[in-house]
Amino acid sequence: MQQLNPPQHAAVIALDTPLLVIAGAGSGKTRVITEKIAHLIRSGTAARHIAALTFTNKAAREMKSRVGRLVDDKSLRGLTVSTFHALGLDIIRQEHQALGLKRAISIFDEQDRLVLIRELLRHHRPDWDLSSAEALSAQISRWKNLFLIPEQMTGVAVDQDPHIVAFYGDYLRQMKAYNAVDFDDLILQPVLLFNQHQDILEKWRNKLRYLLVDEYQDTNETQYQLLKLLIGTLGRFTVVGDDDQSIYSWRGAQPENIAKLSVDYPRLQIIKLEQNYRSTRRILGAANTLIANNPHVIEKRLWSALAHGDPLAVLHHKDDILESRQICSDLIHHKFREGSSFKDYAILYRSNHQSRAFETALRESSIPYFISGGPSFFGYAEIKDILAYLRLVVNPEDDAAFLRIVNVPRREIGPHTLEKLGEYANRRQISLLAASTELGLAHSLKDSARQRLLHFSRIMTQLSEETAKGNPFEAIDAFIMAIDYEGWCREISNTEEAAKRKMTQVRELLDWLKRIADDESSEEKSLADVVARIMLLDVLDRREEENAGDRVNLMTLHASKGLEFPYVYLVGMEENLLPHESSIEENSIEEERRLAYVGITRAQKRLTFSYCTHRKRRGELESRQPSRFLDELPEVDLEWAARKALDPEIKKERGMASLAHLRDLLNKD
C-alpha cells in the first residue's frame, strides 16, 4: 500500500461508509480493488464474506491473481471473485428448489434461445414472421435487464404490444418446463428469488458481507437491484466506475446507476482517481477535451506525470482499400524505426465490417494479426449440434444437450410436448431422456407425441450401444448419415455452398475427435474422455485472445475496453461511422463520444486517427466527411497529413522499412 497515491490509499482504507470510486482510464482501479480486498482481510473480514464482482472472466482471473500475490492462500479461502453472472448461477444452483428447478439446470446461450423462440413462433404464432425471432429475443433481453416480467407490465409498460408481452410469458413458462435459464436469467432469477424469500436473502447477506464492484457504470437495472438486495441497509460496499467509459447502453447498461447511489445511500463517500499511469500528456489532453463536450454528474480531469508525447497524427485516404494499405505501410515503417513488436499495435474500428479491408492488407503485407472477438469454432450451430449428440451419449442426464438436438433434424416434437415432458421430469426429478421412456408420461401427453419421444430415445440408446461395442467414430459417422444431418444443413442454409461449409465443419470436428483418440501420448481413449477433452478445448479456444502471440490486434472499440497498447490506430473517423448513423438519427451522440474517448485512452505512446474521403456502402462509393469528434480535439496537438508534405528522409526511411520487413520474411522462409 506504500506505493499507492493519496486518493488510491484513501479508497483502500475507507471501510466505514459506502464508497464510490470514480476511476478514470488507466488510473489503477484494479489495483485499488485488489489492495482493498487484502486490507479487508487484514482488518478482520474473513475472505469467505467478501465478493468482488466484474463483467468478464478475464478480469475476474486477473483480479484473483493479483490478490493472490498480496495475501497467503490460507487467508484467501472462500473468497468470491467472479462475474455477476457466475455469482447469479451459483445462487440459482444453491437455491434451485425455491425457484422450482431441478439441480441439473440447463443454461441457454443466445443461439439456444433463438431456436426456442422460433419453435414457439412455429407452433403458437404461425401468423408471425419467423424472421422476427431475433427482434423478439432482443426485446425479451431488454425487459429482463430492466427488471420487467409479464406480471408487472400491464401497468408499467402500457406502450408495449400485449401480444409480445404474452409471448414473453410463453417463453418464460417454456424455459421453466425445460428446467433452463438464459444468460439474462442469471441475474433476474436471483432478484426475483430474494424479493420473494426474505430468509434466503438474509442467508446470502450474511454470507457476502462486503461487496466490491468493478466497471460499475456497466450495470443494468436488474444488476443494480441485485446489488441493493445483497447490500441491504448497512451499505458495506465499494463500487468503482467511470461514466465516461459507459458504452454498453445497447445491452442495458445504465450510467445513471452512479447517480442513484447518492440517493439510495446518503452516507456515500466519493473518491476520484484522476492520475493516469498509461498515456502521454498529449493523448490525455485530447481525451479530456473531447469528453468535456458531454455532461457529467461528477466532474473529473485526468492528468499524467508521463512525457508530453508525439503529436496525434490524422491520416486521410481516398477509400477504405487505400486506408488499410497505407496504415499497414505506416505500421511497418514505425515498427522498423522503433524496434517494436507487432503485438504492440492495435487497429480499432467502430463496426466489424471494417476489419475486412485490413485483413486483406495485412495478409498482403505478410503481417500477422489477431481479430479479438472473432467467431469460435465451437460457436457454430453444426458443431454445437454434433457435440450435443455426443454429450448426451456419454451423459444421458445432460438435459441441455437433449433440448438442443431432440428436434435436430426436425422430428415434429414441438414446444407443447417438451413443456409437458419438462413438467413431468421435474415432478419425477429425473432427466428428460429418462422421462421420455416412462409409462407415466401417458397421463400428460397424447400417444402420438409419446411415440415421437420414444423414437428419439431409441435412436440415442442405439447410438450409445454402437459407440460402446465397436469403433465409436465409425458409429458416429453412420449415425450422422442415418439421421440425414446433411439434408438438415441444406434445409436451414440459404445456399448450397453454406450447407457444404457446415458439413465441412462437421467433418473437421470428427477428424479432430479421431486424432485425440488415436494420439498414443494421450490418455483419452474412451468417447467420454474425448468429449470431455474437446469441451476443455472449447474453453481454451475462448482464451486464445490472451495468448495471441506477436500479432497486430484488430478489434472493435467496444472490444478494446479495458485493454491498452503502446501504439493505436483509430480508423474510420467519419460521420455516419463514428459517430454511427443510427446514433445520429437517435440523437445519442454522447455514447458515441464516450466510445471515441475509450479508443483514445487505449493508447500509451502514439495515437493515429484515420478517415476516408470515400467509402463503399451497399456496393456504392459514397463521399464521406471527417468525424465531428476530430473537430472537438485540441488543434495544437493534431498533425494532419493532408496539410503536411512528406519529408524526403521519411520517404527514404519507409523504403528501408519495407525492405527490412521483406528480408525478415525471406529469413523466416
Side-chain angles (χ1 to χ4, degrees):
M1 291 207 343
Q2 293 176 349
Q3 296 177 0
L4 299 174
N5 65 36
Q8 289 174 333
H9 186 268
V12 168
I13 64 172
L15 301 181
D16 298 328
T17 60
L19 178 63
L20 165 63
V21 180
I22 299 294
S27 62
K29 65 182 178 62
T30 305
R31 185 174 188 181
V32 165
I33 293 173
T34 53
E35 289 281 2
K36 184 145 197 176
I37 293 170
H39 182 62
L40 281 162
I41 293 170
R42 294 185 192 116
S43 301
T45 302
R48 68 180 181 278
H49 294 314
I50 301 170
L53 304 178
T54 187
F55 282 87
T56 67
N57 289 320
K58 181 180 178 181
R61 287 194 298 271
E62 170 68 13
M63 205 179 287
K64 199 159 193 174
S65 172
R66 288 204 200 181
V67 176
R69 294 195 288 269
L70 298 173
V71 182
D72 64 84
D73 291 345
K74 185 178 179 182
S75 299
L76 281 179
R77 282 179 196 157
L79 175 69
T80 298
V81 180
S82 75
T83 63
F84 272 90
H85 294 88
L87 174 64
L89 179 59
D90 190 33
I91 293 169
I92 289 170
R93 281 180 169 155
Q94 289 194 41
E95 312 298 344
H96 63 94
Q97 288 182 321
L99 286 165
L101 298 170
K102 293 184 295 180
R103 181 164 180 80
I105 297 159
S106 299
I107 302 171
F108 275 32
D109 63 14
E110 181 57 28
Q111 201 173 78
D112 297 327
R113 178 155 75 179
L114 281 171
V115 169
L116 171 57
I117 288 173
R118 289 190 186 106
E119 286 299 305
L120 287 170
L121 287 173
R122 190 176 285 111
H123 288 81
H124 295 329
R125 303 285 196 281
D127 53 324
W128 289 15
D129 190 346
L130 279 177
S131 64
S132 65
E134 289 189 7
L136 285 167
S137 177
Q139 182 60 69
I140 288 170
S141 181
R142 278 193 293 273
W143 280 335
K144 288 186 176 186
N145 289 333
L146 287 168
F147 189 43
L148 291 172
I149 55 176
E151 293 85 347
Q152 303 170 323
M153 294 176 68
T154 306
V156 177
V158 291
D159 60 331
Q160 299 297 338
D161 184 335
H163 298 293
I164 297 177
V165 175
F167 183 87
Y168 179 23
D170 292 342
Y171 172 82
L172 292 180
R173 282 190 294 277
Q174 196 77 34
M175 291 291 286
K176 183 75 173 286
Y178 284 2
N179 200 62
V181 294
D182 61 26
F183 196 63
D184 302 312
D185 281 324
L186 297 178
I187 310 298
L188 177 64
Q189 292 300 327
V191 174
L192 294 173
L193 174 78
F194 289 156
N195 277 319
Q196 294 163 7
H197 297 273
Q198 186 65 31
D199 56 331
I200 294 176
L201 173 59
E202 289 301 327
K203 180 178 82 174
W204 281 90
R205 280 180 179 172
N206 188 52
K207 179 179 180 179
L208 305 177
R209 298 178 189 175
Y210 199 99
L211 290 182
L212 302 102
V213 182
D214 190 18
E215 304 288 6
Y216 176 72
Q217 76 281 349
D218 292 337
T219 55
N220 59 40
E221 178 60 30
T222 312
Q223 286 161 339
Y224 185 70
Q225 294 298 326
L226 178 63
L227 290 172
K228 272 185 68 177
L229 286 162
L230 285 171
I231 289 165
T233 56
L234 293 177
R236 300 195 74 226
F237 68 82
T238 293
V239 301
V240 182
D242 180 7
D243 54 343
D244 288 334
Q245 295 188 73
S246 180
I247 57 174
Y248 297 115
S249 65
W250 48 275
R251 67 183 189 199
Q254 296 183 161
E256 55 266 34
N257 284 350
I258 290 176
K260 277 185 184 180
L261 284 174
S262 297
V263 177
D264 290 335
Y265 301 94
R267 296 172 55 242
L268 184 73
Q269 181 181 358
I270 300 173
I271 294 174
K272 293 188 281 188
L273 305 183
E274 297 173 294
Q275 182 175 1
N276 174 286
Y277 294 91
R278 174 188 299 158
S279 307
T280 65
R281 294 205 297 275
R282 246 190 180 126
I283 291 170
L284 275 189
N288 284 334
T289 304
L290 176 72
I291 207 64
N293 290 281
N294 276 5
H296 293 85
V297 176
I298 302 169
E299 294 289 341
K300 72 173 185 306
R301 189 169 183 85
L302 295 182
W303 63 275
S304 174
L306 300 177
H308 192 56
D310 296 332
L312 315 183
V314 184
L315 309 179
H316 79 289
H317 317 274
K318 185 179 177 182
D319 57 41
D320 56 337
I321 304 299
L322 286 173
E323 177 185 45
S324 58
R325 287 176 179 170
Q326 289 172 15
I327 282 177
C328 285
S329 174
D330 186 81
L331 191 154
I332 290 170
H333 167 237
H334 187 269
K335 179 178 182 292
F336 170 75
R337 192 177 69 202
E338 298 293 325
S340 49
S341 302
F342 285 121
K343 66 183 178 183
D344 296 332
Y345 296 85
I347 299 173
L348 310 182
Y349 38 81
R350 174 63 177 84
S351 300
N352 278 307
H353 68 82
Q354 292 173 259
S355 72
R356 293 169 197 154
F358 285 99
E359 287 186 77
T360 301
L362 289 163
R363 281 198 298 267
E364 287 174 353
S365 300
S366 298
I367 297 174
Y369 67 90
F370 177 80
I371 299 182
S372 179
S376 162
F377 175 71
F378 295 92
Y380 291 106
E382 57 273 17
I383 300 302
K384 296 175 83 170
D385 288 345
I386 302 305
L387 282 177
Y389 272 111
L390 300 185
R391 283 164 48 200
L392 196 58
V393 166
V394 301
N395 178 16
E397 300 287 316
D398 192 333
D399 285 350
F402 177 97
L403 289 169
R404 178 163 190 93
I405 42 84
V406 67
N407 220 22
V408 175
R410 194 164 286 118
R411 299 183 176 93
E412 301 305 322
I413 300 173
H416 176 75
T417 298
L418 292 172
E419 183 177 352
K420 294 298 181 185
L421 175 68
E423 290 170 353
Y424 178 82
N426 276 340
R427 286 196 301 272
R428 295 274 294 118
Q429 290 292 295
I430 57 176
S431 73
L432 294 173
L433 187 62
S436 299
T437 64
E438 291 209 344
L439 292 173
L441 192 58
H443 298 295
S444 303
L445 284 175
K446 292 179 181 177
D447 189 59
S448 57
R450 276 190 62 243
Q451 290 305 318
R452 286 192 283 272
L453 286 170
L454 275 171
H455 173 70
F456 176 71
S457 65
R458 287 190 191 113
I459 66 171
M460 290 309 303
T461 300
Q462 184 178 353
L463 176 59
S464 182
E465 290 171 351
E466 293 294 328
T467 56
K469 71 183 181 184
N471 183 322
F473 302 104
E474 287 181 5
I476 294 163
D477 278 337
F479 176 77
I480 289 171
M481 289 181 64
I483 64 173
D484 191 20
Y485 190 80
E486 187 170 358
W488 169 250
C489 288
R490 283 196 295 271
E491 183 180 336
I492 62 173
S493 299
N494 295 325
T495 64
E496 184 66 26
E497 289 73 20
K500 286 179 179 176
R501 280 197 300 272
K502 289 180 183 293
M503 284 308 297
T504 299
Q505 298 267 52
V506 170
R507 295 257 63 87
E508 186 178 336
L509 172 67
L510 295 178
D511 289 344
W512 196 355
L513 292 169
K514 290 172 189 173
R515 284 198 300 273
I516 293 173
D518 294 341
D519 184 355
E520 293 182 3
S521 64
S522 173
E523 295 180 4
E524 290 90 354
K525 295 300 179 185
S526 73
L527 183 61
D529 289 335
V530 172
V531 171
R533 171 80 181 276
I534 209 79
M535 297 313 291
L536 174 60
L537 287 173
D538 182 3
V539 175
L540 295 177
D541 182 76
R542 291 172 186 172
R543 291 184 187 176
E544 182 184 359
E545 181 175 346
E546 296 168 37
N547 303 294
D550 189 22
R551 296 188 273 177
V552 172
N553 300 275
L554 266 65
M555 66 186 73
T556 64
L557 287 162
H558 285 99
S560 74
K561 188 163 170 293
L563 304 177
E564 58 185 41
F565 306 94
Y567 314 112
V568 167
Y569 292 92
L570 213 172
V571 303
M573 289 290 291
E574 302 149 27
E575 288 293 297
N576 294 321
L577 197 50
L578 184 66
H580 196 273
E581 60 182 335
S582 61
S583 300
I584 296 172
E585 291 166 4
E586 296 164 10
N587 197 26
S588 56
I589 298 297
E590 289 174 10
E591 178 150 336
E592 293 291 297
R593 189 175 284 112
R594 293 195 292 267
L595 198 53
Y597 173 85
V598 165
I600 291 170
T601 54
R602 298 313 92 196
Q604 295 171 297
K605 299 178 182 178
R606 181 179 185 253
L607 176 62
T608 302
F609 298 105
S610 168
Y611 70 92
C612 297
T613 57
H614 296 79
R615 189 178 291 271
K616 270 196 174 181
R617 186 176 185 230
R618 300 188 181 100
E620 298 291 327
L621 199 62
E622 293 183 349
S623 63
R624 292 283 177 148
Q625 294 298 317
S627 169
R628 69 189 70 186
F629 298 148
L630 288 173
D631 292 331
E632 294 177 1
L633 298 174
E635 183 65 32
V636 68
D637 290 325
L638 300 183
E639 187 175 85
W640 295 74
R643 304 169 191 172
K644 177 186 173 188
L646 194 60
D647 188 289
E649 284 299 314
I650 299 292
K651 283 185 178 179
K652 182 179 177 182
E653 205 174 68
R654 284 180 183 273
M656 291 172 63
S658 296
L659 286 171
H661 180 59
L662 185 59
R663 278 197 302 272
D664 286 345
L665 293 174
L666 291 172
N667 288 335
K668 284 178 184 175
D669 290 342

